[in-house]
Coordinates of all heavy atoms in Angstrom, one line a residue:
M1 N 41.7 25.0 -20.5 CA 40.7 24.2 -20.9 C 40.4 23.1 -19.8 O 39.3 22.7 -19.6 CB 41.1 23.5 -22.2 CG 39.9 23.1 -23.1 SD 38.7 24.5 -23.5 CE 37.4 23.6 -24.2
E2 N 41.5 22.6 -19.3 CA 41.3 21.6 -18.2 C 40.6 22.1 -17.0 O 39.7 21.5 -16.5 CB 42.7 21.1 -17.8 CG 43.4 20.2 -18.8 CD 43.0 18.8 -18.7 OE1 42.7 18.3 -17.5 OE2 42.8 18.1 -19.8
M3 N 40.8 23.3 -16.7 CA 40.2 23.9 -15.5 C 38.7 24.2 -15.8 O 37.8 24.1 -15.0 CB 40.8 25.3 -15.1 CG 42.2 25.0 -14.3 SD 42.9 26.6 -13.9 CE 41.8 27.2 -12.7
L4 N 38.5 24.5 -17.1 CA 37.1 24.8 -17.4 C 36.3 23.6 -17.4 O 35.2 23.6 -16.8 CB 37.0 25.4 -18.9 CG 35.8 26.2 -19.1 CD1 35.8 27.6 -18.3 CD2 35.8 26.5 -20.7
A5 N 36.8 22.4 -17.8 CA 36.2 21.2 -17.7 C 35.9 20.8 -16.3 O 34.8 20.3 -15.9 CB 36.9 20.1 -18.5
G6 N 36.9 21.0 -15.4 CA 36.8 20.7 -14.0 C 35.6 21.5 -13.4 O 34.9 20.9 -12.7
A7 N 35.6 22.8 -13.8 CA 34.6 23.6 -13.2 C 33.2 23.2 -13.6 O 32.3 23.2 -12.9 CB 34.9 25.1 -13.6
A8 N 33.2 22.8 -14.8 CA 31.8 22.3 -15.4 C 31.4 21.0 -14.7 O 30.2 20.9 -14.4 CB 31.9 22.1 -16.9
I9 N 32.3 20.2 -14.4 CA 32.0 18.9 -13.7 C 31.6 19.3 -12.3 O 30.5 18.8 -11.8 CB 33.1 17.9 -13.7 CG1 33.3 17.4 -15.1 CG2 32.9 16.8 -12.7 CD1 34.7 16.7 -15.3
L10 N 32.2 20.1 -11.7 CA 31.8 20.6 -10.4 C 30.4 21.2 -10.3 O 29.7 20.9 -9.4 CB 32.9 21.6 -9.8 CG 32.8 22.0 -8.4 CD1 33.1 20.8 -7.5 CD2 33.7 23.1 -8.0
L11 N 30.3 22.1 -11.3 CA 28.9 22.8 -11.4 C 27.8 21.7 -11.5 O 26.8 21.8 -10.9 CB 28.9 23.8 -12.5 CG 27.7 24.7 -12.6 CD1 27.6 25.6 -11.3 CD2 27.7 25.5 -13.9
A12 N 28.1 20.8 -12.4 CA 27.1 19.7 -12.7 C 26.8 18.9 -11.4 O 25.7 18.6 -11.2 CB 27.6 18.8 -13.8
G13 N 27.9 18.7 -10.7 CA 27.7 17.9 -9.5 C 26.9 18.7 -8.5 O 25.9 18.1 -7.8
I14 N 27.0 20.0 -8.4 CA 26.2 20.8 -7.5 C 24.7 20.8 -8.0 O 23.8 20.6 -7.1 CB 26.8 22.2 -7.4 CG1 28.1 22.2 -6.7 CG2 25.8 23.1 -6.7 CD1 28.9 23.4 -6.9
L15 N 24.5 20.9 -9.2 CA 23.2 20.9 -9.7 C 22.5 19.6 -9.6 O 21.3 19.6 -9.1 CB 23.2 21.3 -11.3 CG 23.6 22.7 -11.6 CD1 23.7 22.9 -13.0 CD2 22.5 23.7 -11.0
I16 N 23.2 18.5 -9.8 CA 22.6 17.2 -9.6 C 22.2 17.0 -8.1 O 21.3 16.5 -7.8 CB 23.5 16.1 -10.1 CG1 23.6 16.1 -11.7 CG2 23.0 14.7 -9.7 CD1 24.7 15.4 -12.2
G17 N 23.2 17.5 -7.3 CA 22.9 17.4 -5.9 C 21.7 18.1 -5.4 O 21.0 17.7 -4.4
R18 N 21.4 19.1 -6.1 CA 20.2 19.9 -5.6 C 18.9 19.1 -6.0 O 17.9 19.2 -5.4 CB 20.2 21.2 -6.4 CG 21.1 22.2 -5.8 CD 20.8 23.6 -6.3 NE 21.7 24.5 -5.8 CZ 21.6 25.8 -5.9 NH1 20.5 26.3 -6.5 NH2 22.5 26.7 -5.4
F19 N 19.0 18.4 -7.1 CA 17.7 17.6 -7.5 C 17.6 16.3 -6.8 O 16.5 15.8 -6.8 CB 17.8 17.4 -9.1 CG 17.6 18.6 -9.8 CD1 18.6 19.2 -10.5 CD2 16.4 19.2 -9.8 CE1 18.4 20.4 -11.2 CE2 16.1 20.4 -10.5 CZ 17.1 21.0 -11.3
L20 N 18.6 15.9 -6.2 CA 18.5 14.7 -5.4 C 17.9 14.9 -4.1 O 18.0 16.0 -3.5 CB 19.9 14.0 -5.2 CG 20.5 13.4 -6.4 CD1 22.0 13.0 -6.1 CD2 19.7 12.2 -7.0
P21 N 17.1 14.0 -3.6 CA 16.5 14.3 -2.3 C 17.5 14.3 -1.2 O 18.4 13.5 -1.1 CB 15.6 13.0 -2.0 CG 16.1 11.9 -3.0 CD 16.7 12.7 -4.1
S22 N 17.5 15.5 -0.4 CA 18.5 15.7 0.5 C 18.2 14.9 1.8 O 19.2 14.5 2.5 CB 18.5 17.2 0.8 OG 17.2 17.6 1.3
R23 N 17.0 14.7 2.1 CA 16.6 13.9 3.3 C 16.5 12.5 3.1 O 15.8 12.1 2.1 CB 15.4 14.6 4.0 CG 15.7 15.9 4.7 CD 14.6 16.3 5.4 NE 13.4 16.5 4.5 CZ 12.1 16.8 4.9 NH1 12.0 16.9 6.3 NH2 11.2 17.0 4.1
R24 N 17.1 11.7 3.9 CA 16.8 10.2 3.7 C 15.7 9.7 4.5 O 15.0 8.8 4.1 CB 18.2 9.5 4.3 CG 19.3 9.7 3.3 CD 20.2 8.5 3.4 NE 21.2 8.3 2.4 CZ 21.9 7.2 2.1 NH1 21.7 6.1 2.8 NH2 22.6 7.2 1.1
S25 N 15.3 10.4 5.5 CA 14.2 9.9 6.3 C 12.9 10.5 5.6 O 12.3 11.4 6.2 CB 14.3 10.4 7.8 OG 14.4 11.8 7.8
A26 N 12.5 10.0 4.6 CA 11.3 10.5 3.9 C 10.1 9.6 4.2 O 9.0 10.0 3.8 CB 11.5 10.4 2.3
A27 N 10.3 8.6 4.9 CA 9.2 7.7 5.3 C 8.3 8.5 6.3 O 8.7 9.1 7.2 CB 9.6 6.5 6.1
P28 N 7.0 8.5 5.9 CA 6.1 9.4 6.8 C 5.9 8.6 8.2 O 5.8 7.4 8.2 CB 4.7 9.2 6.0 CG 4.8 8.0 5.1 CD 6.3 7.9 4.8
K29 N 5.8 9.4 9.1 CA 5.7 8.8 10.5 C 4.3 8.7 10.8 O 3.5 9.6 10.6 CB 6.4 9.7 11.5 CG 8.0 9.6 11.4 CD 8.5 10.4 12.6 CE 10.1 10.3 12.6 NZ 10.7 11.0 13.7
P30 N 3.8 7.6 11.3 CA 2.4 7.4 11.7 C 2.1 8.2 12.9 O 2.9 8.5 13.7 CB 2.4 5.9 12.0 CG 3.7 5.5 12.3 CD 4.7 6.4 11.7
K31 N 0.9 8.7 12.9 CA 0.4 9.5 14.0 C 0.0 8.5 15.1 O -1.0 7.9 15.1 CB -0.9 10.2 13.6 CG -0.7 11.4 12.6 CD -1.9 12.0 12.3 CE -1.7 13.1 11.2 NZ -3.0 13.7 10.8
G32 N 0.8 8.4 16.0 CA 0.7 7.5 17.1 C 0.7 6.1 16.6 O 1.0 5.8 15.5
I33 N 0.5 5.2 17.6 CA 0.5 3.8 17.2 C -0.9 3.3 17.0 O -1.7 3.3 18.0 CB 1.2 3.0 18.4 CG1 2.7 3.5 18.4 CG2 1.2 1.5 18.1 CD1 3.4 3.1 19.6
Q34 N -1.2 2.8 15.9 CA -2.5 2.3 15.5 C -2.4 0.9 15.4 O -1.5 0.3 14.7 CB -3.0 2.9 14.3 CG -3.8 4.2 14.4 CD -5.0 4.2 13.5 OE1 -5.1 3.6 12.5 NE2 -6.0 5.0 13.9
P35 N -3.3 0.1 16.1 CA -3.3 -1.4 15.9 C -3.7 -1.7 14.4 O -4.6 -1.2 13.9 CB -4.4 -1.8 16.9 CG -5.2 -0.6 17.1 CD -4.4 0.6 16.9
V36 N -2.8 -2.5 13.8 CA -3.0 -2.9 12.5 C -3.3 -4.4 12.5 O -2.6 -5.2 13.1 CB -1.8 -2.6 11.6 CG1 -2.0 -3.2 10.2 CG2 -1.5 -1.1 11.5
C37 N -4.3 -4.8 11.7 CA -4.7 -6.2 11.6 C -3.7 -6.9 10.8 O -2.9 -6.4 10.1 CB -6.1 -6.3 11.1 SG -6.8 -7.9 11.0
G38 N -3.8 -8.3 10.8 CA -2.9 -9.1 9.9 C -3.1 -8.8 8.5 O -2.2 -9.1 7.6
C39 N -4.3 -8.4 8.1 CA -4.5 -8.1 6.7 C -3.9 -6.8 6.2 O -3.9 -6.5 5.0 CB -6.0 -8.0 6.4 SG -6.8 -6.6 7.2
G40 N -3.4 -6.1 7.1 CA -2.6 -4.8 6.7 C -3.5 -3.6 6.9 O -3.0 -2.5 6.8
H41 N -4.7 -3.8 7.2 CA -5.6 -2.6 7.5 C -5.7 -2.3 8.9 O -5.7 -3.3 9.7 CB -7.0 -2.9 6.9 CG -7.0 -3.1 5.4 ND1 -7.5 -4.3 4.8 CD2 -6.6 -2.3 4.4 CE1 -7.4 -4.2 3.5 NE2 -6.8 -3.0 3.2
G42 N -5.9 -1.1 9.3 CA -6.0 -0.7 10.6 C -7.2 -1.4 11.3 O -8.3 -1.7 10.6
S43 N -7.2 -1.5 12.5 CA -8.3 -2.2 13.2 C -9.6 -1.3 13.1 O -10.7 -1.8 13.3 CB -8.0 -2.3 14.7 OG -7.8 -1.1 15.4
S44 N -9.5 0.0 12.8 CA -10.6 0.8 12.7 C -11.5 0.4 11.4 O -12.7 0.9 11.3 CB -10.2 2.3 12.6 OG -9.4 2.5 11.5
F45 N -10.9 -0.3 10.5 CA -11.6 -0.7 9.3 C -12.5 -1.9 9.6 O -13.3 -2.3 8.8 CB -10.7 -1.1 8.2 CG -10.0 0.0 7.4 CD1 -8.7 0.4 7.7 CD2 -10.8 0.8 6.6 CE1 -8.1 1.4 7.1 CE2 -10.2 1.9 6.0 CZ -8.8 2.2 6.2
H46 N -12.3 -2.5 10.7 CA -13.0 -3.7 11.0 C -14.3 -3.3 11.9 O -14.3 -2.6 12.8 CB -12.2 -4.7 11.8 CG -11.0 -5.2 11.0 ND1 -9.9 -4.4 10.9 CD2 -10.7 -6.3 10.4 CE1 -9.0 -5.0 10.1 NE2 -9.4 -6.3 9.8
G47 N -15.4 -3.9 11.4 CA -16.7 -3.6 12.0 C -16.8 -4.4 13.3 O -15.9 -5.1 13.7
E48 N -18.1 -4.2 13.8 CA -18.2 -4.9 15.0 C -18.2 -6.4 14.9 O -18.0 -7.2 15.9 CB -19.6 -4.5 15.6 CG -19.5 -3.0 16.2 CD -20.8 -2.6 16.9 OE1 -21.6 -3.5 17.2 OE2 -20.9 -1.4 17.3
D49 N -18.6 -6.9 13.8 CA -18.5 -8.4 13.6 C -17.1 -8.9 13.2 O -16.9 -10.1 13.0 CB -19.5 -8.8 12.4 CG -19.2 -8.0 11.1 OD1 -18.4 -7.2 11.2 OD2 -19.9 -8.4 10.2
G50 N -16.2 -7.9 13.1 CA -14.8 -8.4 12.9 C -14.5 -8.3 11.4 O -13.3 -8.5 11.0
R51 N -15.4 -8.2 10.5 CA -15.1 -8.2 9.1 C -14.4 -6.9 8.7 O -14.8 -5.8 9.2 CB -16.3 -8.4 8.3 CG -16.9 -9.8 8.4 CD -18.2 -9.9 7.7 NE -18.9 -11.1 8.1 CZ -18.7 -12.3 7.5 NH1 -17.9 -12.4 6.6 NH2 -19.3 -13.3 8.0
C52 N -13.4 -7.1 7.9 CA -12.7 -5.9 7.3 C -13.6 -5.2 6.3 O -14.1 -5.9 5.4 CB -11.4 -6.3 6.8 SG -10.4 -4.8 6.4
Q53 N -13.7 -3.9 6.4 CA -14.5 -3.1 5.4 C -13.6 -2.3 4.4 O -14.1 -1.5 3.7 CB -15.5 -2.2 6.2 CG -16.6 -2.9 6.9 CD -17.1 -2.1 7.9 OE1 -16.9 -0.9 8.1 NE2 -17.9 -2.8 8.8
A54 N -12.4 -2.6 4.5 CA -11.4 -1.9 3.5 C -11.4 -2.7 2.2 O -12.0 -3.8 2.1 CB -10.1 -1.8 4.2
T55 N -10.7 -2.2 1.3 CA -10.7 -2.7 0.1 C -9.2 -3.1 -0.2 O -8.3 -2.3 0.2 CB -11.2 -2.0 -1.1 OG1 -10.6 -0.7 -1.0 CG2 -12.7 -1.9 -1.0
N56 N -8.9 -4.0 -1.1 CA -7.5 -4.4 -1.5 C -7.5 -4.1 -3.1 O -8.4 -4.3 -3.7 CB -7.3 -5.8 -1.3 CG -7.1 -6.0 0.2 OD1 -6.5 -5.3 0.9 ND2 -7.5 -7.2 0.7
E57 N -6.3 -3.6 -3.5 CA -6.2 -3.4 -4.9 C -5.7 -4.7 -5.5 O -4.9 -5.4 -5.0 CB -5.1 -2.4 -5.1 CG -5.6 -1.0 -4.8 CD -4.6 0.1 -5.2 OE1 -3.5 -0.3 -5.6 OE2 -5.0 1.3 -5.3
T58 N -6.3 -5.0 -6.6 CA -5.9 -6.2 -7.3 C -5.8 -6.1 -8.8 O -6.5 -5.2 -9.3 CB -7.0 -7.3 -6.9 OG1 -6.6 -8.5 -7.6 CG2 -8.3 -6.9 -7.5
A59 N -5.0 -6.8 -9.4 CA -4.8 -6.7 -10.8 C -6.1 -7.3 -11.5 O -6.6 -8.3 -11.1 CB -3.6 -7.3 -11.3
Q60 N -6.6 -6.6 -12.5 CA -7.7 -7.0 -13.2 C -7.3 -7.5 -14.6 O -6.7 -6.7 -15.3 CB -8.8 -5.9 -13.3 CG -9.3 -5.4 -12.0 CD -10.3 -6.2 -11.4 OE1 -11.3 -6.5 -12.0 NE2 -10.1 -6.6 -10.1
W61 N -7.8 -8.6 -15.0 CA -7.3 -9.2 -16.3 C -8.6 -9.5 -17.0 O -9.6 -10.1 -16.5 CB -6.5 -10.4 -16.1 CG -5.2 -10.2 -15.5 CD1 -4.8 -10.2 -14.2 CD2 -4.0 -9.8 -16.2 NE1 -3.6 -9.9 -14.0 CE2 -3.0 -9.6 -15.1 CE3 -3.7 -9.5 -17.5 CZ2 -1.7 -9.2 -15.5 CZ3 -2.3 -9.2 -17.7 CH2 -1.4 -9.0 -16.8
D62 N -8.7 -9.1 -18.3 CA -9.8 -9.3 -19.1 C -9.4 -10.3 -20.2 O -8.9 -9.7 -21.3 CB -10.4 -8.0 -19.6 CG -11.6 -8.2 -20.4 OD1 -12.3 -9.3 -20.3 OD2 -12.0 -7.3 -21.1
G63 N -9.6 -11.5 -20.0 CA -9.2 -12.4 -21.2 C -7.8 -12.4 -21.4 O -7.4 -12.5 -22.7
G64 N -7.0 -12.3 -20.4 CA -5.5 -12.3 -20.7 C -5.0 -10.8 -20.9 O -3.8 -10.7 -21.0
N65 N -5.8 -9.9 -21.0 CA -5.4 -8.5 -21.3 C -5.4 -7.7 -20.0 O -6.4 -7.9 -19.2 CB -6.3 -7.8 -22.4 CG -6.2 -8.5 -23.7 OD1 -5.0 -8.8 -24.2 ND2 -7.3 -8.8 -24.3
W66 N -4.4 -6.9 -19.8 CA -4.4 -6.1 -18.7 C -5.5 -5.1 -18.7 O -5.7 -4.3 -19.6 CB -3.0 -5.4 -18.6 CG -2.9 -4.4 -17.6 CD1 -2.9 -3.0 -17.7 CD2 -2.7 -4.6 -16.2 NE1 -2.8 -2.4 -16.6 CE2 -2.7 -3.3 -15.6 CE3 -2.6 -5.7 -15.4 CZ2 -2.4 -3.1 -14.2 CZ3 -2.4 -5.5 -14.0 CH2 -2.4 -4.3 -13.4
A67 N -6.3 -5.1 -17.5 CA -7.5 -4.3 -17.6 C -7.3 -3.3 -16.4 O -8.3 -2.6 -16.0 CB -8.7 -5.1 -17.3
G68 N -6.2 -3.0 -15.8 CA -6.0 -2.1 -14.8 C -6.1 -2.7 -13.4 O -6.2 -3.8 -13.2
I69 N -6.1 -1.8 -12.5 CA -6.1 -2.1 -11.1 C -7.6 -1.9 -10.6 O -8.2 -0.8 -10.8 CB -5.2 -1.2 -10.3 CG1 -3.8 -1.4 -10.7 CG2 -5.4 -1.4 -8.7 CD1 -3.2 -2.7 -10.3
G70 N -8.1 -2.9 -10.1 CA -9.4 -2.8 -9.4 C -9.4 -3.1 -7.9 O -8.3 -3.3 -7.4
T71 N -10.5 -2.9 -7.4 CA -10.5 -3.0 -5.8 C -11.5 -4.2 -5.5 O -12.6 -4.3 -6.1 CB -10.9 -1.8 -5.1 OG1 -12.2 -1.3 -5.7 CG2 -9.8 -0.7 -5.3
V72 N -11.1 -4.9 -4.6 CA -12.0 -6.0 -4.1 C -12.1 -5.8 -2.5 O -11.1 -5.3 -2.0 CB -11.4 -7.4 -4.4 CG1 -11.5 -7.6 -5.9 CG2 -10.1 -7.5 -3.9
P73 N -13.3 -6.1 -2.1 CA -13.4 -6.0 -0.6 C -12.4 -7.0 0.1 O -12.1 -8.1 -0.3 CB -14.8 -6.3 -0.3 CG -15.3 -7.0 -1.5 CD -14.5 -6.5 -2.7
C74 N -11.9 -6.5 1.2 CA -11.0 -7.4 2.0 C -11.7 -8.5 2.5 O -12.8 -8.3 3.1 CB -10.3 -6.4 3.0 SG -9.0 -7.4 3.9
T75 N -11.1 -9.6 2.5 CA -11.8 -10.8 3.0 C -11.4 -11.2 4.4 O -11.8 -12.2 4.9 CB -11.4 -12.1 2.1 OG1 -10.0 -12.1 2.0 CG2 -11.9 -11.8 0.7
C76 N -10.7 -10.3 5.0 CA -10.3 -10.5 6.4 C -11.4 -10.6 7.3 O -12.4 -9.9 7.2 CB -9.2 -9.5 6.8 SG -8.8 -9.5 8.5
Q77 N -11.2 -11.4 8.2 CA -12.2 -11.4 9.4 C -11.4 -11.4 10.7 O -10.7 -12.4 11.0 CB -13.1 -12.7 9.4 CG -14.1 -12.7 8.2 CD -15.0 -13.9 8.3 OE1 -14.4 -15.0 8.4 NE2 -16.2 -13.8 8.3
K78 N -11.4 -10.3 11.3 CA -10.6 -10.2 12.6 C -11.4 -11.0 13.6 O -10.8 -11.3 14.7 CB -10.4 -8.7 12.9 CG -9.2 -8.7 13.8 CD -8.8 -7.2 14.0 CE -9.7 -6.4 14.9 NZ -9.3 -5.2 15.4
Y79 N -12.7 -11.1 13.4 CA -13.5 -11.8 14.4 C -13.0 -13.2 14.6 O -12.9 -14.0 13.5 CB -14.9 -11.8 13.9 CG -15.9 -12.5 14.8 CD1 -16.2 -12.0 16.0 CD2 -16.5 -13.8 14.4 CE1 -17.0 -12.7 16.9 CE2 -17.3 -14.4 15.2 CZ -17.6 -13.8 16.5 OH -18.5 -14.5 17.3
V80 N -12.6 -13.6 15.7 CA -12.0 -14.9 15.9 C -12.9 -15.8 16.7 O -12.6 -16.9 16.9 CB -10.7 -14.8 16.7 CG1 -9.6 -14.1 15.8 CG2 -10.9 -14.0 18.0
G81 N -14.1 -15.4 16.9 CA -15.1 -16.3 17.7 C -15.6 -17.3 16.8 O -15.3 -17.4 15.6
P82 N -16.6 -18.0 17.3 CA -17.3 -19.0 16.4 C -18.0 -18.4 15.3 O -18.7 -17.4 15.4 CB -18.2 -19.7 17.4 CG -18.4 -18.7 18.6 CD -17.2 -18.0 18.7
E83 N -17.9 -19.0 14.1 CA -18.4 -18.5 12.9 C -19.9 -18.8 12.9 O -20.3 -19.8 13.0 CB -17.8 -19.1 11.7 CG -18.4 -18.7 10.4 CD -18.2 -17.1 10.1 OE1 -17.1 -16.7 10.0 OE2 -19.3 -16.5 10.0
P84 N -20.8 -17.7 12.9 CA -22.1 -17.9 13.0 C -22.7 -18.5 11.6 O -23.7 -19.3 11.6 CB -22.8 -16.6 13.2 CG -21.7 -15.6 12.7 CD -20.4 -16.2 12.9
L85 N -22.3 -18.1 10.6 CA -22.7 -18.6 9.2 C -21.4 -19.0 8.4 O -21.0 -18.3 7.6 CB -23.5 -17.5 8.5 CG -24.8 -17.1 9.1 CD1 -25.4 -15.8 8.4 CD2 -25.8 -18.2 8.9
P86 N -21.1 -20.2 8.6 CA -19.8 -20.8 7.9 C -20.1 -20.6 6.4 O -19.1 -20.5 5.7 CB -19.6 -22.1 8.4 CG -20.4 -22.2 9.7 CD -21.7 -21.2 9.5
S87 N -21.3 -21.0 5.9 CA -21.4 -21.1 4.5 C -21.6 -19.7 3.8 O -21.4 -19.6 2.6 CB -22.7 -21.9 4.2 OG -23.9 -21.2 4.8
F88 N -21.7 -18.7 4.6 CA -22.0 -17.4 4.1 C -20.6 -16.8 3.6 O -20.4 -16.2 2.6 CB -22.5 -16.4 5.1 CG -22.7 -15.0 4.6 CD1 -23.9 -14.8 3.8 CD2 -21.9 -14.0 4.9 CE1 -24.1 -13.5 3.3 CE2 -22.2 -12.8 4.5 CZ -23.2 -12.5 3.6
Y89 N -19.6 -17.2 4.3 CA -18.2 -16.6 4.0 C -17.5 -17.6 3.1 O -17.1 -18.7 3.5 CB -17.4 -16.4 5.3 CG -16.0 -16.0 5.0 CD1 -15.8 -14.7 4.5 CD2 -15.0 -16.8 5.3 CE1 -14.5 -14.2 4.2 CE2 -13.7 -16.3 5.1 CZ -13.4 -15.1 4.6 OH -12.2 -14.6 4.3
A90 N -17.4 -17.2 1.9 CA -16.7 -18.1 0.9 C -15.6 -17.3 0.2 O -15.8 -16.5 -0.7 CB -17.7 -18.6 -0.2
P91 N -14.4 -17.5 0.7 CA -13.2 -16.7 0.1 C -12.9 -17.2 -1.3 O -12.1 -18.2 -1.4 CB -12.1 -16.9 1.1 CG -12.6 -18.2 1.7 CD -14.0 -18.4 1.7
E92 N -13.5 -16.7 -2.3 CA -13.2 -17.2 -3.7 C -12.3 -16.2 -4.4 O -11.9 -16.5 -5.5 CB -14.6 -17.3 -4.4 CG -15.4 -18.5 -4.0 CD -16.7 -18.6 -4.8 OE1 -16.9 -17.7 -5.7 OE2 -17.4 -19.7 -4.6
I93 N -12.0 -15.2 -3.8 CA -11.1 -14.2 -4.4 C -9.7 -14.7 -4.3 O -9.1 -14.8 -3.2 CB -11.3 -12.8 -3.8 CG1 -12.7 -12.4 -4.0 CG2 -10.3 -11.8 -4.4 CD1 -13.0 -11.1 -3.1
A94 N -9.1 -15.0 -5.4 CA -7.7 -15.4 -5.5 C -6.9 -14.3 -6.1 O -7.3 -13.6 -7.1 CB -7.6 -16.7 -6.3
D95 N -5.7 -14.2 -5.7 CA -4.8 -13.2 -6.2 C -3.8 -13.8 -7.0 O -3.8 -14.6 -7.9 CB -4.4 -12.2 -5.2 CG -3.8 -13.0 -4.0 OD1 -3.7 -14.3 -4.1 OD2 -3.4 -12.4 -3.1
Ligands
ZN101 ZN1 -8.4 -5.8 5.6
ZN102 ZN1 -8.1 -7.5 9.1

């Protein structure tokens, strides 16, 4: 009986081992080195004016109730030159 229990534990260990990820390096490797802006989006998301055209996921709340994940346009401006229209850009999106 003792041996049977030991064999069962051994078998269980083998089975569990099969279901566990065998490789530790599961992180996807990026294709080449892409410049990433401070907002976390690649520089390719930024238009000629420097504004980021990607979206960020944000939690949506409806009167205190969870309303799911929504997307808001990224407010990043990679453009570092003089702001042509300071009043146009109003970062009101708070997270
Ligand atoms: Zn961005
Ligand atoms: Zn950016």
Side-chain angles (χ1 to χ4, degrees):
M1 207 57 188
E2 286 278 319
M3 283 180 66
L4 204 68
I9 289 166
L10 187 68
L11 187 67
I14 292 166
L15 287 172
I16 289 166
R18 285 196 183 190
F19 288 109
L20 289 173
S22 55
R23 286 185 299 172
R24 285 206 163 197
S25 60
K29 286 187 177 180
K31 291 179 184 176
I33 297 168
Q34 271 219 336
V36 175
C37 181
C39 67
H41 299 121
S43 62
S44 58
F45 282 106
H46 297 76
E48 289 187 8
D49 58 353
R51 292 173 193 275
C52 185
Q53 291 160 11
T55 54
N56 288 321
E57 288 189 346
T58 182
Q60 302 280 308
W61 296 90
D62 183 16
N65 294 316
W66 172 254
I69 297 289
T71 53
V72 293
C74 185
T75 56
C76 168
Q77 286 182 309
K78 206 168 78 169
Y79 180 68
V80 290
E83 176 61 63
L85 290 169
S87 60
F88 183 76
Y89 176 68
E92 288 184 352
I93 298 166
D95 51 1

